[in-house]
Amino acid sequence: MRMVSLRDVNFGYGDVPCLEQANVDIFFGEFVTISGQNGAAKTTMLKLMLGLLKPWSGTVELARRNAGGGKLAIGYVPQQIAAFNGAFPSTVTEFVRSGRHARGSWLRRLDQEDRRMTEDAIRQVGMWEFRHRKIGELSGGQKQKVCIARALAQEPDLLVLDEPTTGMDQESRLGFYRLLQAQVKDYGRTVVMVTHNLTEMAEYLDRCITLERKEDGGWKCCTTTSCSGHFAPVG
Amino acid sequence: MLHYDFMQRAFCAGGIIALIASALGVYLMLRRQALMADMLSHVSLAGVAAGIYLHIDPTLTGFIAAVAGAVAVEYVRRAYKTYSEMSVAIIMVGGLSTAVILMSLARATNKSFTSYLFGSVVAVNRTELLLMGAVALVGGAFFYFMRRPLYQMTFDEETAKTNGLPVKWISLGFSVITGMIVAASIPIVGVLLVSSLIVLPAALAIRIAPSFAAALVISMGIGLAGVFSGLAASYQLSTPPGGTIAFVLLVLLIAGIGIRKATYKIRKLL
């Protein structure tokens, strides 16, 4: 069953195209990465998938329902959240808990289960001892972990992460890849992640999408590659 | 002083506006729209000038102009996505230039402009008090029911969109509520200092609050303390309430930051 489908998608900024004739399918329960050089339109592709950008032409279809027929829950971790400045007066727990509000009604009162899920998410990313700290006081890598915890607290059907390991040390990164793999294998979630660390991640992935510049000009093409052993683009 | 009817009204109006304006300030500061209050107050001044010129109730025309300005700023903000602060400059220039032209045309009524510019404790009539009450009710309901979406949008609008929130409409609603609160605050603090009532309590609360919920409560407390002590000082010293309230809030901000720094240093020494 398709989670996201891009058909002949063209997109650019101003008059300059940056993604042409992109055709991509991502299926339920897959762990997929998007990679490519700087400026290869990786974030753009993510935003097109999520409906945050409208394509110039072509179609983007994102599943509305999860496998159980309920409303699809999306956990999105952007590359950087501008509001995370030193003065932001919100604690780690407060922020992660806001992920629970995104499930169901925004007015519902959070219960014991919500509290447990919030605490689990904070523990999973290794931020338990920082749970009462203001997020503005955390380091870049720690802020990133808190964003991931918020997305996990949502119990998302689709988890979309844009270079989430920026600022993380190697040990944290490897632990994080295992955590994402568990989301796919244990909970049947779909994970789409932009990364530059393909080699490091190889053993955890189902598939990778490579965005690359074509030899004849300034636009990029999109190739989907099986991740069984190598990452050389095909097609 | 509270045995005077006008002072009772001023304290009532000041209390209502202090609570709602300082809560609004926290969201405005965190959404990096602190200048929006200033901009809308200048747009509101154009409405006041138009009301005086056309012999319509200036409070009503000021109110309508502020709300219209709030809607306009949302559209201009979207047109200048990368430089969103440009929308503030564009609309502020539009509001102020219109106000100056209309003020010069309505020369005979310069005296009443002073109370709109600097605020006046005697300027708050029963109609304005009712208007402030209604604005506080609508604004309070908006902030209560929208507190979680607003919190989410304050962090990141794109994440909020992926969570299924109608960001465009909530943002528009927030701007309209901001315009309403700014317009309702003008009789007490005046056009030129209305942003002080919105920004200064929030500026201190954000520095000292341990959490987001605490920031809202602390900001409202500071706003209330600033307005009540400012009004009392204004009565005793016969000074304009707008300037006095703004000055008291500024003193509270400087004292609060000073105490916080001193506490931090003492803790470090211990």
Side-chain angles (χ1 to χ4, degrees), chain B residues 113-189:
Chain B
F113 268 123
T114 315
S115 68
Y116 284 104
L117 289 174
F118 303 107
S120 164
V121 280
V122 290
V124 183
N125 57 39
R126 200 177 138 73
T127 316
E128 281 166 345
L129 189 58
L130 285 172
L131 183 71
M132 285 177 201
V135 167
L137 210 63
V138 173
F142 181 82
F143 288 130
Y144 179 76
F145 290 114
M146 288 289 145
R147 66 192 186 282
R148 288 168 180 165
L150 280 174
Y151 174 87
Q152 183 56 51
M153 283 167 57
T154 300
F155 272 101
D156 184 49
E157 291 197 357
E158 287 190 339
T159 313
K161 270 185 201 167
T162 61
N163 288 157
L165 284 174
V167 169
K168 194 174 153 186
W169 293 109
I170 297 174
S171 201
L172 183 64
F174 178 78
S175 292
V176 169
I177 294 288
T178 304
M180 287 165 67
I181 293 170
V182 166
S185 308
I186 286 173
I188 286 281
V189 279

Side-chain angles (χ1 to χ4, degrees), chain A residues 97-168:
Chain A
R97 194 168 50 211
S98 73
R100 298 301 297 169
H101 296 311
R103 284 190 73 81
S105 164
W106 287 83
L107 287 171
R108 78 184 172 90
R109 186 181 276 272
L110 297 187
D111 57 20
Q112 204 60 38
E113 170 73 359
D114 294 308
R115 269 187 280 279
R116 192 181 62 76
M117 292 304 299
T118 303
E119 289 175 5
D120 280 356
I122 298 172
R123 280 200 183 91
Q124 279 179 320
V125 297
M127 290 296 290
W128 182 248
E129 60 190 287
F130 298 95
R131 65 192 182 282
H132 298 309
R133 289 273 291 274
K134 280 160 85 169
I135 45 179
E137 295 167 356
L138 303 175
S139 72
Q142 288 171 328
K143 284 174 188 170
Q144 202 69 22
K145 286 180 180 178
V146 173
C147 287
I148 294 161
R150 184 192 179 275
L152 292 176
Q154 271 183 264
E155 298 181 86
D157 303 302
L158 171 63
L159 186 56
V160 180
L161 310 109
D162 194 352
E163 297 191 38
T165 52
T166 308
M168 279 191 204

Side-chain angles (χ1 to χ4, degrees), chain A residues 21-187:
Chain A
Q21 294 299 310
N23 285 285
V24 172
D25 285 313
I26 294 172
F27 298 91
F28 274 77
E30 272 194 316
F31 186 176
V32 180
T33 56
I34 299 173
S35 61
Q37 293 176 335
N38 290 334
K42 302 182 291 293
T43 300
T44 301
M45 181 177 261
L46 271 195
K47 291 186 175 180
L48 283 163
M49 287 177 176
L50 292 170
L52 296 171
L53 294 173
K54 299 273 174 268
W56 283 357
S57 62
T59 55
V60 178
E61 283 178 20
L62 175 65
R64 286 166 183 263
R65 301 272 160 198
N66 59 25
K71 191 185 163 204
L72 190 84
I74 302 170
Y76 174 47
V77 180
Q79 210 165 0
Q80 56 182 21
I81 293 185
F84 269 10
N85 57 37
F88 208 101
S90 196
T91 62
V92 168
T93 303
E94 232 175 355
F95 181 63
V96 176
R97 194 168 50 211
S98 73
R100 298 301 297 169
H101 296 311
R103 284 190 73 81
S105 164
W106 287 83
L107 287 171
R108 78 184 172 90
R109 186 181 276 272
L110 297 187
D111 57 20
Q112 204 60 38
E113 170 73 359
D114 294 308
R115 269 187 280 279
R116 192 181 62 76
M117 292 304 299
T118 303
E119 289 175 5
D120 280 356
I122 298 172
R123 280 200 183 91
Q124 279 179 320
V125 297
M127 290 296 290
W128 182 248
E129 60 190 287
F130 298 95
R131 65 192 182 282
H132 298 309
R133 289 273 291 274
K134 280 160 85 169
I135 45 179
E137 295 167 356
L138 303 175
S139 72
Q142 288 171 328
K143 284 174 188 170
Q144 202 69 22
K145 286 180 180 178
V146 173
C147 287
I148 294 161
R150 184 192 179 275
L152 292 176
Q154 271 183 264
E155 298 181 86
D157 303 302
L158 171 63
L159 186 56
V160 180
L161 310 109
D162 194 352
E163 297 191 38
T165 52
T166 308
M168 279 191 204
D169 55 56
Q170 195 189 21
E171 196 187 328
S172 298
R173 286 202 303 274
L174 294 176
F176 178 60
Y177 303 147
R178 282 192 288 275
L179 174 67
L180 291 184
Q181 195 182 37
Q183 297 296 313
V184 176
K185 297 222 179 302
D186 300 345
Y187 302 102

Side-chain angles (χ1 to χ4, degrees), chain B residues 191-210:
Chain B
V191 166
L192 297 180
L193 291 162
V194 72
S195 63
S196 66
L197 189 55
I198 293 169
V199 172
L200 295 181
L204 179 55
I206 284 170
R207 291 291 290 264
I208 60 175

Side-chain angles (χ1 to χ4, degrees), chain B residues 10-219:
Chain B
F11 268 79
C12 263
I16 290 167
I17 288 304
L19 288 174
I20 197 77
S22 41
L24 167 72
V26 173
Y27 289 106
L28 277 178
M29 292 272 292
L30 295 176
R31 282 168 61 95
R32 294 160 199 268
Q33 292 181 317
L35 284 174
M36 195 169 156
D38 228 1
M39 180 268 292
L40 289 177
S41 66
H42 285 80
V43 172
S44 182
L45 185 65
V48 168
I52 292 172
Y53 180 65
L54 298 168
H55 303 290
I56 306 169
D57 185 351
T59 306
L60 185 69
T61 50
F63 191 86
I64 291 167
V67 172
V71 174
V73 80
E74 265 306 296
Y75 285 99
V76 181
R77 191 168 75 99
R78 273 177 217 147
Y80 289 94
K81 258 183 191 167
T82 323
Y83 306 102
S84 58
E85 67 274 15
M86 205 183 278
S87 60
V88 172
I90 291 168
I91 296 181
M92 194 191 267
V93 167
L96 203 53
S97 56
T98 311
V100 168
I101 292 167
L102 290 170
M103 276 160 76
S104 69
L105 291 174
R107 268 178 230 149
T109 52
N110 273 350
K111 198 182 169 188
S112 62
F113 268 123
T114 315
S115 68
Y116 284 104
L117 289 174
F118 303 107
S120 164
V121 280
V122 290
V124 183
N125 57 39
R126 200 177 138 73
T127 316
E128 281 166 345
L129 189 58
L130 285 172
L131 183 71
M132 285 177 201
V135 167
L137 210 63
V138 173
F142 181 82
F143 288 130
Y144 179 76
F145 290 114
M146 288 289 145
R147 66 192 186 282
R148 288 168 180 165
L150 280 174
Y151 174 87
Q152 183 56 51
M153 283 167 57
T154 300
F155 272 101
D156 184 49
E157 291 197 357
E158 287 190 339
T159 313
K161 270 185 201 167
T162 61
N163 288 157
L165 284 174
V167 169
K168 194 174 153 186
W169 293 109
I170 297 174
S171 201
L172 183 64
F174 178 78
S175 292
V176 169
I177 294 288
T178 304
M180 287 165 67
I181 293 170
V182 166
S185 308
I186 286 173
I188 286 281
V189 279
V191 166
L192 297 180
L193 291 162
V194 72
S195 63
S196 66
L197 189 55
I198 293 169
V199 172
L200 295 181
L204 179 55
I206 284 170
R207 291 291 290 264
I208 60 175
S211 67
F212 187 77
L216 285 171
V217 174
I218 292 172
S219 182

